[in-house]
Amino acid sequence: MSKTVSSTPELHALRQKIDATDEEIVRLIARRLETVSQILKEKSGRPAMLRDAERERQVLGRVETLAQSLGLSGPLARKIFSEIITHSLAREAAALSGGEAQTKQISVAYHGTPLTYNHMAAQKYIGSSGQSARFVGARSIAEAVDSLVAGTVDLALVPIENTSGGSINEVYDILRERDLHVVGEETLKVDHCLAALTDVPLQILQRISSHPLALDQCSAFLATLPRALNSPSVDSAEALKAVADSGDPTWAAIGAPEAATAFGLTILRRGIGNHEEILTRYVALARAPESFDVRIPCKTSLILSTRHEHGALLRCLQSLSDYGVSLTKLESRPRPNRPWEYMFFIDIEGNVADPRVGAALDDLRAQALFLKVLGCYPAKATPAELQASAVKAVPAAAGVAAPAPAGVPAPAPTGAVPGANTANSDPTRAGAPDQTAVSAASLPDNSHYRLAARATRGEDTLVRVGDLLIGGNGFTVMAGPAWVESRDQVGQAAKLVRERGAHVLRGGIFKPQAGHDADQGQGYEALAFLAAAGKAFGMPIITEIMSPDQVRPVALHADILQIGARNMQNFALLAEVGKVDRPVLLKRGLSSTIDEWLAAANFILKQGNGQVILCERGIRTFENATRNTLDLSAVVVVRERTHLPIVVDPSQGTGHRAYVAPMAWAARAAGAHGLLIDVDAGLQAALASDDQSLTTIQFGQLMEGLSRWRA
Ligand code: PEP
Ligand code: MN
């Protein structure tokens, strides 16, 4: 566009004057930043918030008035100073979060090639923190994230939403699946321009390239160029570069003005987007969470699954509202492999270091079925006005009074859930404890299992597994081979236990000893056999995991994760199951008290996973006539003390197949929510591989009896 003007000495002098003025402006901005950091030092020791919205309003008002009095545009002055203020706040926030991090060079992955919007966003993010970085372009968002997981970069900056295109679902799915943490956010204004090799009239253009989304965002402008064909490219920078390399004056590309200039192109038209203000929000992901000083206005991002109760989402949102925590975003995404079930992505204003936010999250954990804190990070994509209200709401003292729980009892389950038994009208259950009659005052100290405590939630927790609800008035039978040995063995077992009324297929996959048979399934191979059998006969599957690294891979295929008796206090394992959105069956330790067991369950709940089923499987006593002493009184005690469901394993509990059915009946009478039973479908009793597994015939008789009892 710029016409070459022959240089004169006067022009040269004026240009030098402009250069000097620009330098002066930059120096003044640097001086302003320096003063801001002096102010921060002045404030340190006093718990003042970093951002003072009232003061910002005054500053912007003053510069606007001054600009207008000098014949300049007031809004322009306001815009320039907002940018300067935002930048200096980000610098100060970074300084508060530890100075040494700033001197180290970090590496940041982004999707695309140099000078794409994603790259510029990464540069902006790093620039505002005062750090220096090496930027690594990846071929896809997934590749950028993979390099973060692999440890080849320190951060990945990925786009999460766009004001014209909406949410970027791929990134939400990554946040759900991966153990990554949001440590920052950035916004970038998408300012599309059209650029070509030289200053040509728009009418001669024959081809226009860019990322498909960018072409979409400029559709109205492109419609005015009917002769030009749209030609999608991998990203906008690639398109600009291709035009620069082509030597073809009839080819143009859409991208950022900075990028167009960097590739030596001529900008034909600026601001060609359909909407004047297109913004993309990015999140910075890291392998470990970061914490930020309470003075920094922060956002916290969460993933939430609600309970299967009326008004469940409402009650979760009420928890936030009760503590004065505002939402900035609520987005729903389908739960994987759970048709028509949703999880919610929530951004709240607040720093987890703020006791008020911590208390709100504790309350939310008690309401939610699953809660994952994705990260707490300095807020950038929030208007200053909203931040002002967050500042005012910070309590003066640390002690935050918890609001009274809503106390709305959930309606009783309808019992119409296919597969689950309903015992609403079963007179034999009259002896089961009436939890609502137990007053909290009469209960022992529950402070070490507060989230699991009956006093925290009046209603029974119902753990949903496919169409089944475990807990409440249901009675769920989980049965199958103690060990998965082959595809045929577990397939046959699934068929036979299903025909006899089992709801869930059980099977061990990580057998300590290696197999002696070529056909023997082990580990993940056995898991595939178990999953195929469950699928073939319409049963969810449960299997035991023994180490944290098994949790996520197994959770991809298993519907319930079992924690064995020996691992009840394996806190690394409990921590990991607490972070995935899968129901967990927690067996009682061989020598654990009920309180220790509930504390272990509470630990899982505290990580965010509220879908815990307890399982009594016998404890070690002096008695050796049975393998363990099945403690059925635990069922009654547990139902009194916690809202979590409890099932009984009479197979491990007694160790003798002859004792399994009587104890199964007794468990039912004591108020258990279900059974876990070993069934060896292949063989006669005499040939069974262990002492405790029922034959198919015995299992059939037990189920027949139980169903007649229920009728
Ligand atoms: C099992 O159920 O396969 C098992 C090993 O049980 P426990 O952890 O109760 O011994
Ligand atoms: Mn982690």
Side-chain angles (χ1 to χ4, degrees), residues 179 181 287 289 579:
D179 182 21
H181 305 266
R287 288 182 296 276
K579 286 187 270 182

Side-chain angles (χ1 to χ4, degrees), residues 423-435 437 473 636 639 668-672 709:
N424 289 342
S425 56
D426 186 345
T428 61
R429 289 180 63 86
D434 176 7
Q435 281 77 28
N473 293 315
V636 187
R639 290 206 55 179
R668 179 85 172 84
W709 182 28

Side-chain angles (χ1 to χ4, degrees), residues 482-483 506 508 544 562-566 587-588 590 617 649 652 676 678:
W483 300 108
R506 69 149 279 155
E544 181 175 344
Q562 176 177 327
I563 297 202
R566 284 150 201 86
K587 286 198 158 191
R588 180 177 179 185
L590 285 85
R617 48 78 70 203
D649 176 351
Q652 300 298 326
L676 184 67
D678 292 355

Side-chain angles (χ1 to χ4, degrees), residues 480-481 489-490 492-494 496-497 679-684 693-696:
Q489 171 245 16
V490 68
Q492 177 74 352
L496 295 171
V497 299
V679 179
D680 192 330
L683 300 163
Q684 318 278 307
S693 292
L694 295 187
T695 64
T696 318

